[in-house]
Amino acid sequence: MKYFILISILFSQFSWALESVDKMTTQIIKVYEKNILVLNRGAEDGIFREDHIKITSPNGFIARGICVGSSMQLSHWKIYRVVRPELVSKDVEYNLVAIPQSERPNDFKNLTDKVDFTPYLNDKMLPDEKKQIARQQKRIIYYDLPKEAVMKLENIQTEEKESFYKKFVKENISNEKLKQDFSELFFEINASPYITQTRNDQREFAYGLKLYNKAQKYRFRLEYQQNEKSYTDPVSEKSYKQNATRYYVDFSLNRFTNHFSTITSIENFSEKIGTINYPQNYYKIIPLGIKYNSNKNDNAEDYAEIIIAPVFDQMEYDSASGETESREGIRALLSIALFSKVNEKINLNALLEYAPFYDATKSKWDYSDTNSKIQGRFSYMMSSNFFIDYSLEYQEDTFRAQEYGISNDNTTQSLNFNFLVSL
């Protein structure tokens, strides 16, 4: 019982940093450049460097910040989000509320380690005070507690520092965050009244549905697309009207580091032209891929994305003789996408995909069969929930060309109308 009490004291003393349930009143003492505020709360109130807080008043939420320095009675805060700047005043008493470290934006996670805020700190932040706090902490740990308790604490600290897995789980896996990210959904209806293809002078009409979120951590997307085609057989010169159907779902853990995310997806596609099913069923499955984003946050207007992933490629199709055949293998996908926000209404993006095929039956790579794709898209926002886009896409299908003796490449143009609803 004695050691239980001592260890309890140890952890209560060592946990002076703000907990997510802490709340206290505060006032602004001074305002510096670079959104640095000095508040009248410090180490004696349990505030330390890297604490994460939000500032509120009776009129509502005002700002969020990260502690970049603390003395006994004062603290300095880097404010990274201000909702209502008109409510910031030295004459008002505010509520200072601690919030979880896991909710810090990715591009601010290492803020206090990489940026020197000394030029912006109040001259009352004396080095002697920092040393005094450090000596006091050390005295509590090494002199006022049994040696066994100190050793246990040191072991715990070492394990936490060295455990990348624990840090990853803490920052990226949260049931509360999962519920929050799936609470705001978007539903999109799209129609493409104009689509042309160079292959056999095809004409198409397409329509589809999308359901997705725009969350900070957990993202998903569901798509359904239906194409109705008018097709002229180059041999018999007969006209056919056929359908193509596509289902797609993906899930990603967004930014498990500043630049990297994961992606998992399943795609199913089927199409019938004349009496030929090509494909009858086509599955592309990414069990786990890595996506790199050139920017550290999701608010950038211009950025690049690179995806590297294995793709399980399985297809059933009708051969030229009419027999049902199947093919299985793996593709090594390399996808490069460029995005640019020209202004509030105009967006541009370009996509390049290269995915050579590994034939499982022949146990060899086929670098002539790459399913290469180049696509450009222009989008214009007509309103907050309605936009149009024009896309131009070039694609190669070597396997199809060899099987049916048709052209290897195909160029598609489409004009799309999209209506967006927030659920």
Side-chain angles (χ1 to χ4, degrees):
M1 185 66 181
K2 177 178 68 175
Y3 287 108
F4 174 78
I5 294 172
L6 290 171
I7 291 173
S8 300
I9 295 171
L10 166 64
F11 280 101
S12 65
Q13 293 289 347
F14 200 73
S15 302
W16 284 354
L18 288 174
E19 299 293 337
S20 59
V21 295
D22 286 347
K23 180 178 179 180
M24 63 186 75
T25 58
T26 188
Q27 281 188 294
I28 298 173
I29 303 300
K30 196 168 184 179
V31 180
Y32 286 97
E33 296 179 358
K34 305 293 182 180
N35 284 354
I36 302 292
L37 294 184
V38 183
L39 303 182
N40 67 339
R41 295 287 186 173
E44 65 182 14
D45 301 299
I47 293 176
F48 291 95
R49 185 179 173 91
E50 297 189 16
D51 278 344
H52 190 206
I53 54 100
K54 63 180 177 181
I55 300 173
T56 65
S57 75
N59 295 316
F61 174 74
I62 297 174
R64 281 190 177 197
I66 299 170
C67 183
V68 295
S70 173
S71 66
M72 292 300 292
Q73 297 181 339
L74 298 175
S75 55
H76 293 68
W77 301 84
K78 170 64 177 177
I79 303 301
Y80 67 84
R81 181 184 178 193
V82 181
V83 177
R84 305 183 68 181
E86 71 276 7
L87 297 181
V88 176
S89 170
K90 296 180 182 179
D91 301 322
V92 177
E93 188 172 75
Y94 300 98
N95 289 322
L96 184 152
V97 183
I99 51 180
Q101 293 286 342
S102 59
E103 294 187 17
R104 288 169 60 174
N106 286 322
D107 48 338
F108 281 92
K109 286 190 184 299
N110 299 320
L111 176 72
T112 51
D113 294 330
K114 296 182 178 179
V115 181
D116 180 15
F117 287 95
T118 305
Y120 309 105
L121 301 187
N122 193 303
D123 53 8
K124 295 180 182 179
M125 284 285 295
L126 299 176
D128 289 344
E129 286 188 337
K130 297 180 182 178
K131 293 179 180 178
Q132 180 182 348
I133 295 171
R135 283 197 300 268
Q136 188 178 31
Q137 289 273 39
K138 188 174 181 180
R139 181 184 62 78
I140 292 171
I141 295 173
Y142 290 100
Y143 295 99
D144 292 357
L145 292 170
K147 185 177 180 180
E148 294 83 356
V150 174
M151 291 177 63
K152 184 173 182 179
L153 175 61
E154 289 177 342
N155 291 335
I156 292 172
Q157 289 176 312
T158 302
E159 288 175 6
E160 289 184 349
K161 282 184 179 180
E162 294 177 351
S163 176
F164 171 80
Y165 171 76
K166 288 183 179 179
K167 183 178 179 182
F168 178 87
V169 170
K170 181 179 179 181
E171 294 183 357
N172 295 284
I173 300 178
S174 164
N175 289 333
E176 182 179 345
K177 193 66 177 175
L178 184 65
K179 292 178 182 178
Q180 179 183 338
D181 286 355
F182 278 78
S183 62
E184 185 176 6
L185 303 178
F186 295 88
F187 180 68
E188 186 177 312
I189 303 172
N190 62 75
S192 304
Y194 174 77
I195 303 176
T196 65
Q197 295 191 31
T198 55
R199 181 185 290 137
N200 299 322
D201 194 29
Q202 290 184 175
R203 296 291 185 271
E204 298 182 40
F205 172 77
Y207 55 91
L209 308 171
K210 293 182 183 179
L211 181 67
Y212 58 94
N213 67 351
K214 296 181 180 179
Q216 180 182 354
K217 183 58 63 177
Y218 303 103
R219 296 185 175 181
F220 85 100
R221 179 174 44 154
L222 298 173
E223 292 185 15
Y224 165 77
Q225 193 77 21
Q226 185 73 31
N227 288 49
E228 297 181 359
K229 299 185 178 184
S230 174
Y231 169 75
T232 302
D233 190 298
V235 178
S236 64
E237 296 185 353
K238 292 182 179 180
S239 295
Y240 300 93
K241 289 185 177 180
Q242 304 296 342
N243 293 330
T245 306
R246 176 180 177 267
Y247 300 94
Y248 178 84
V249 57
D250 72 26
F251 176 82
S252 64
L253 179 61
N254 188 51
R255 297 186 183 276
F256 64 87
T257 69
N258 285 339
H259 292 282
F260 288 94
S261 307
T262 68
I263 183 168
T264 299
S265 69
I266 301 175
E267 179 180 6
N268 174 256
F269 179 71
S270 60
E271 182 177 9
K272 187 176 183 180
I273 301 177
T275 59
I276 301 296
N277 291 285
Y278 183 87
Q280 192 175 86
N281 257 316
Y282 191 7
Y283 286 95
K284 292 182 178 180
I285 302 173
I286 297 178
L288 183 64
I290 297 296
K291 179 169 65 177
Y292 170 83
N293 192 302
S294 62
N295 284 83
K296 290 185 177 181
N297 61 74
D298 292 320
N299 298 320
E301 296 184 349
D302 302 292
Y303 61 96
E305 284 186 353
I306 300 174
I307 296 176
I308 299 176
V311 183
F312 290 102
D313 188 296
Q314 182 182 39
M315 179 170 61
E316 292 181 347
Y317 63 97
D318 292 343
S319 65
S321 62
E323 298 293 327
T324 300
E325 305 283 351
S326 64
R327 188 178 74 148
E328 295 182 356
I330 299 174
R331 292 189 182 275
L333 173 65
L334 172 62
S335 173
I336 302 174
L338 305 175
F339 300 86
S340 178
K341 185 175 182 179
V342 179
N343 54 43
E344 292 301 318
K345 291 184 176 293
I346 298 176
N347 292 278
L348 302 175
N349 69 276
L351 173 68
L352 170 64
E353 287 188 356
Y354 176 80
F357 182 75
Y358 178 82
D359 194 325
T361 59
K362 298 178 181 179
S363 299
K364 69 175 184 178
W365 287 96
D366 184 356
Y367 291 99
S368 64
D369 181 3
T370 62
N371 269 10
S372 296
K373 180 196 292 187
I374 302 175
Q375 183 187 70
R377 185 181 294 271
F378 169 88
S379 298
Y380 183 80
M381 298 295 298
M382 302 290 289
S383 67
S384 60
N385 58 357
F386 180 72
F387 66 97
I388 61 173
D389 63 64
Y390 166 79
S391 69
L392 178 63
E393 178 181 296
Y394 171 83
Q395 188 170 16
E396 291 183 348
D397 192 339
T398 303
F399 182 78
R400 183 176 187 170
Q402 293 173 348
E403 185 67 29
Y404 302 109
I406 61 177
S407 175
N408 178 47
D409 55 12
N410 188 33
T411 302
T412 304
Q413 299 182 70
S414 62
L415 180 66
N416 311 290
F417 296 89
N418 307 272
F419 182 73
L420 181 65
V421 178
S422 177
L423 300 181

